[in-house]
Amino acid sequence: MGELEIVQVPQLKDNYAYVLHCRDEGVACVVDCSEPPAVLAVIRDLGAKLVALWATHHHWDHIGGHEELLAEDAKLEVYGSSYDMENGRVPGQTRGLVDGESVQIGRHTARALDVPAHTLGHVAYYFEGAKAVFCGDTLFGAGCGRLFEGTPELMHRALNEVLGVLPGDTRVFCGHEYTESNLRFALHVDGDNPAVVERYDSVREARARGESTVPSTMALELQTNPFMRIGEVPLQEAARAHGVADLKDAAQVLGAIRALKDGFS
Ligand code: FE
Ligand code: ZN
């Protein structure tokens, strides 16, 4: 079986969609499409047939392309979380995924991981074979999504008990190019961490060349992402300074770091 082909497609100002192509069967799906023309051009160049839309969550910058794509082909499968299906907030959704459920693109199998926090419906698509996870707005390069609907407890679970335990060589394909600004915050709260300093330098250079900083790897996130380092001294001190009394309460620490990030510019 050939490898899963992954093509990153810039969308809007700083979003990424991903075309996932099974060469063996000539079929493709797209994760988080908001602007169909760029995605359709990629699929045409691959000579693939688009068969499914995979949504991580219902925000418009991730599903804004569904209606236009469905108008072209009403038979497209549309996947998203069971929560979003129940609430009817992913246009055209045909299947609501529960935690651990398998989904296929051609001969490649992904596991749907339920990672609510940024929103209460949020799926990450994990390909163990391809060593890749598509995590939308839950985990970003050196950061995490804002808590629009969920709680610090949910974000702690998603980052540190679900995504963070995937193999270190898993490639992290997130929903936005936010790595450079996230690392500015990481330097602020964890600036003595040489891995953060080194990543900031290399990310700044990559951005100056106009390159994407996504994907990273889970191992790099564990070394540099403040929200995955909440047990480490600098993050604990930042949380204490923000008023957290019980530093053993991981969710409270994460919540404090998230609040600090919200106020950081
Ligand atoms: Fe979002
Ligand atoms: Zn987004």
mmCIF file of all heavy atoms in Angstrom, residues 40-59:
data_model
loop_
_atom_site.group_PDB
_atom_site.id
_atom_site.type_symbol
_atom_site.label_atom_id
_atom_site.label_comp_id
_atom_site.label_asym_id
_atom_site.label_seq_id
_atom_site.Cartn_x
_atom_site.Cartn_y
_atom_site.Cartn_z
ATOM 1 N N LEU A 40 -9.685 22.578 -4.654
ATOM 2 C CA LEU A 40 -10.063 21.851 -5.877
ATOM 3 C C LEU A 40 -8.918 21.834 -6.883
ATOM 4 O O LEU A 40 -8.733 20.850 -7.610
ATOM 5 C CB LEU A 40 -11.323 22.468 -6.491
ATOM 6 C CG LEU A 40 -12.603 22.248 -5.651
ATOM 7 C CD1 LEU A 40 -13.768 23.052 -6.226
ATOM 8 C CD2 LEU A 40 -12.965 20.763 -5.571
ATOM 9 N N ALA A 41 -8.134 22.911 -6.916
ATOM 10 C CA ALA A 41 -6.983 22.940 -7.827
ATOM 11 C C ALA A 41 -5.967 21.869 -7.437
ATOM 12 O O ALA A 41 -5.407 21.185 -8.299
ATOM 13 C CB ALA A 41 -6.338 24.331 -7.812
ATOM 14 N N VAL A 42 -5.735 21.709 -6.141
ATOM 15 C CA VAL A 42 -4.804 20.677 -5.667
ATOM 16 C C VAL A 42 -5.317 19.292 -6.052
ATOM 17 O O VAL A 42 -4.571 18.446 -6.553
ATOM 18 C CB VAL A 42 -4.612 20.792 -4.133
ATOM 19 C CG1 VAL A 42 -3.977 19.535 -3.560
ATOM 20 C CG2 VAL A 42 -3.787 22.024 -3.794
ATOM 21 N N ILE A 43 -6.612 19.074 -5.829
ATOM 22 C CA ILE A 43 -7.194 17.761 -6.113
ATOM 23 C C ILE A 43 -7.132 17.458 -7.621
ATOM 24 O O ILE A 43 -6.820 16.337 -8.030
ATOM 25 C CB ILE A 43 -8.624 17.686 -5.548
ATOM 26 C CG1 ILE A 43 -8.526 17.622 -4.013
ATOM 27 C CG2 ILE A 43 -9.393 16.492 -6.113
ATOM 28 C CD1 ILE A 43 -9.814 17.751 -3.288
ATOM 29 N N ARG A 44 -7.346 18.489 -8.419
ATOM 30 C CA ARG A 44 -7.256 18.304 -9.876
ATOM 31 C C ARG A 44 -5.816 17.957 -10.281
ATOM 32 O O ARG A 44 -5.586 17.029 -11.059
ATOM 33 C CB ARG A 44 -7.727 19.587 -10.582
ATOM 34 C CG ARG A 44 -7.885 19.438 -12.094
ATOM 35 C CD ARG A 44 -8.292 20.754 -12.736
ATOM 36 N NE ARG A 44 -7.327 21.800 -12.422
ATOM 37 C CZ ARG A 44 -7.623 22.987 -11.884
ATOM 38 N NH1 ARG A 44 -8.874 23.309 -11.605
ATOM 39 N NH2 ARG A 44 -6.675 23.868 -11.637
ATOM 40 N N ASP A 45 -4.860 18.671 -9.707
ATOM 41 C CA ASP A 45 -3.452 18.395 -10.037
ATOM 42 C C ASP A 45 -3.031 16.985 -9.621
ATOM 43 O O ASP A 45 -2.161 16.384 -10.252
ATOM 44 C CB ASP A 45 -2.529 19.419 -9.369
ATOM 45 C CG ASP A 45 -2.664 20.805 -9.993
ATOM 46 O OD1 ASP A 45 -3.301 20.908 -11.074
ATOM 47 O OD2 ASP A 45 -2.155 21.776 -9.410
ATOM 48 N N LEU A 46 -3.624 16.482 -8.546
ATOM 49 C CA LEU A 46 -3.307 15.119 -8.100
ATOM 50 C C LEU A 46 -3.990 14.075 -8.977
ATOM 51 O O LEU A 46 -3.657 12.890 -8.914
ATOM 52 C CB LEU A 46 -3.771 14.916 -6.647
ATOM 53 C CG LEU A 46 -3.031 15.695 -5.551
ATOM 54 C CD1 LEU A 46 -3.779 15.585 -4.234
ATOM 55 C CD2 LEU A 46 -1.604 15.180 -5.404
ATOM 56 N N GLY A 47 -4.971 14.508 -9.744
ATOM 57 C CA GLY A 47 -5.770 13.560 -10.516
ATOM 58 C C GLY A 47 -6.660 12.712 -9.624
ATOM 59 O O GLY A 47 -6.992 11.569 -9.961
ATOM 60 N N ALA A 48 -7.045 13.268 -8.494
ATOM 61 C CA ALA A 48 -7.828 12.511 -7.511
ATOM 62 C C ALA A 48 -9.309 12.866 -7.602
ATOM 63 O O ALA A 48 -9.687 13.860 -8.211
ATOM 64 C CB ALA A 48 -7.316 12.810 -6.108
ATOM 65 N N LYS A 49 -10.122 12.021 -6.981
ATOM 66 C CA LYS A 49 -11.550 12.315 -6.877
ATOM 67 C C LYS A 49 -11.856 12.668 -5.422
ATOM 68 O O LYS A 49 -11.549 11.896 -4.508
ATOM 69 C CB LYS A 49 -12.372 11.090 -7.291
ATOM 70 C CG LYS A 49 -13.882 11.304 -7.116
ATOM 71 C CD LYS A 49 -14.692 10.140 -7.678
ATOM 72 C CE LYS A 49 -16.167 10.221 -7.280
ATOM 73 N NZ LYS A 49 -16.797 11.532 -7.509
ATOM 74 N N LEU A 50 -12.447 13.849 -5.223
ATOM 75 C CA LEU A 50 -12.828 14.269 -3.872
ATOM 76 C C LEU A 50 -14.072 13.492 -3.443
ATOM 77 O O LEU A 50 -15.096 13.519 -4.138
ATOM 78 C CB LEU A 50 -13.119 15.775 -3.848
ATOM 79 C CG LEU A 50 -13.560 16.357 -2.499
ATOM 80 C CD1 LEU A 50 -12.440 16.265 -1.466
ATOM 81 C CD2 LEU A 50 -14.008 17.817 -2.658
ATOM 82 N N VAL A 51 -13.965 12.796 -2.303
ATOM 83 C CA VAL A 51 -15.108 11.994 -1.857
ATOM 84 C C VAL A 51 -15.646 12.403 -0.491
ATOM 85 O O VAL A 51 -16.752 12.022 -0.127
ATOM 86 C CB VAL A 51 -14.779 10.476 -1.835
ATOM 87 C CG1 VAL A 51 -14.532 9.971 -3.247
ATOM 88 C CG2 VAL A 51 -13.603 10.171 -0.916
ATOM 89 N N ALA A 52 -14.870 13.162 0.281
ATOM 90 C CA ALA A 52 -15.342 13.472 1.636
ATOM 91 C C ALA A 52 -14.748 14.765 2.177
ATOM 92 O O ALA A 52 -13.627 15.160 1.820
ATOM 93 C CB ALA A 52 -14.992 12.323 2.587
ATOM 94 N N LEU A 53 -15.519 15.411 3.042
ATOM 95 C CA LEU A 53 -15.088 16.593 3.773
ATOM 96 C C LEU A 53 -14.993 16.206 5.247
ATOM 97 O O LEU A 53 -15.973 15.719 5.812
ATOM 98 C CB LEU A 53 -16.104 17.738 3.603
ATOM 99 C CG LEU A 53 -16.619 17.991 2.180
ATOM 100 C CD1 LEU A 53 -17.642 19.136 2.174
ATOM 101 C CD2 LEU A 53 -15.452 18.302 1.246
ATOM 102 N N TRP A 54 -13.831 16.404 5.824
ATOM 103 C CA TRP A 54 -13.632 16.060 7.231
ATOM 104 C C TRP A 54 -13.480 17.359 8.019
ATOM 105 O O TRP A 54 -12.502 18.092 7.816
ATOM 106 C CB TRP A 54 -12.368 15.213 7.424
ATOM 107 C CG TRP A 54 -12.422 13.835 6.836
ATOM 108 C CD1 TRP A 54 -13.347 13.325 5.969
ATOM 109 C CD2 TRP A 54 -11.473 12.778 7.068
ATOM 110 N NE1 TRP A 54 -13.046 12.030 5.658
ATOM 111 C CE2 TRP A 54 -11.906 11.664 6.322
ATOM 112 C CE3 TRP A 54 -10.303 12.667 7.829
ATOM 113 C CZ2 TRP A 54 -11.202 10.450 6.307
ATOM 114 C CZ3 TRP A 54 -9.605 11.465 7.821
ATOM 115 C CH2 TRP A 54 -10.063 10.371 7.073
ATOM 116 N N ALA A 55 -14.424 17.629 8.884
ATOM 117 C CA ALA A 55 -14.377 18.852 9.686
ATOM 118 C C ALA A 55 -13.809 18.535 11.069
ATOM 119 O O ALA A 55 -14.165 17.523 11.672
ATOM 120 C CB ALA A 55 -15.776 19.434 9.827
ATOM 121 N N THR A 56 -12.951 19.423 11.565
ATOM 122 C CA THR A 56 -12.537 19.273 12.965
ATOM 123 C C THR A 56 -13.563 19.912 13.895
ATOM 124 O O THR A 56 -13.859 19.380 14.947
ATOM 125 C CB THR A 56 -11.146 19.890 13.230
ATOM 126 O OG1 THR A 56 -11.194 21.297 12.931
ATOM 127 C CG2 THR A 56 -10.057 19.198 12.410
ATOM 128 N N HIS A 57 -14.096 21.075 13.481
ATOM 129 C CA HIS A 57 -15.096 21.763 14.313
ATOM 130 C C HIS A 57 -15.863 22.753 13.451
ATOM 131 O O HIS A 57 -15.533 22.964 12.284
ATOM 132 C CB HIS A 57 -14.453 22.410 15.537
ATOM 133 C CG HIS A 57 -13.517 23.546 15.255
ATOM 134 N ND1 HIS A 57 -12.337 23.389 14.563
ATOM 135 C CD2 HIS A 57 -13.586 24.870 15.578
ATOM 136 C CE1 HIS A 57 -11.723 24.567 14.485
ATOM 137 N NE2 HIS A 57 -12.465 25.477 15.085
ATOM 138 N N HIS A 58 -16.885 23.371 14.047
ATOM 139 C CA HIS A 58 -17.889 24.082 13.252
ATOM 140 C C HIS A 58 -17.544 25.520 12.907
ATOM 141 O O HIS A 58 -18.324 26.197 12.249
ATOM 142 C CB HIS A 58 -19.230 24.073 13.989
ATOM 143 C CG HIS A 58 -19.271 25.042 15.140
ATOM 144 N ND1 HIS A 58 -18.552 24.847 16.297
ATOM 145 C CD2 HIS A 58 -19.919 26.234 15.301
ATOM 146 C CE1 HIS A 58 -18.775 25.865 17.128
ATOM 147 N NE2 HIS A 58 -19.596 26.716 16.555
ATOM 148 N N HIS A 59 -16.403 26.043 13.366
ATOM 149 C CA HIS A 59 -16.112 27.453 13.074
ATOM 150 C C HIS A 59 -15.997 27.682 11.561
ATOM 151 O O HIS A 59 -15.465 26.851 10.835
ATOM 152 C CB HIS A 59 -14.833 27.901 13.783
ATOM 153 C CG HIS A 59 -15.046 28.141 15.253
ATOM 154 N ND1 HIS A 59 -14.024 28.139 16.159
ATOM 155 C CD2 HIS A 59 -16.184 28.389 15.958
ATOM 156 C CE1 HIS A 59 -14.512 28.387 17.373
ATOM 157 N NE2 HIS A 59 -15.817 28.529 17.284
#
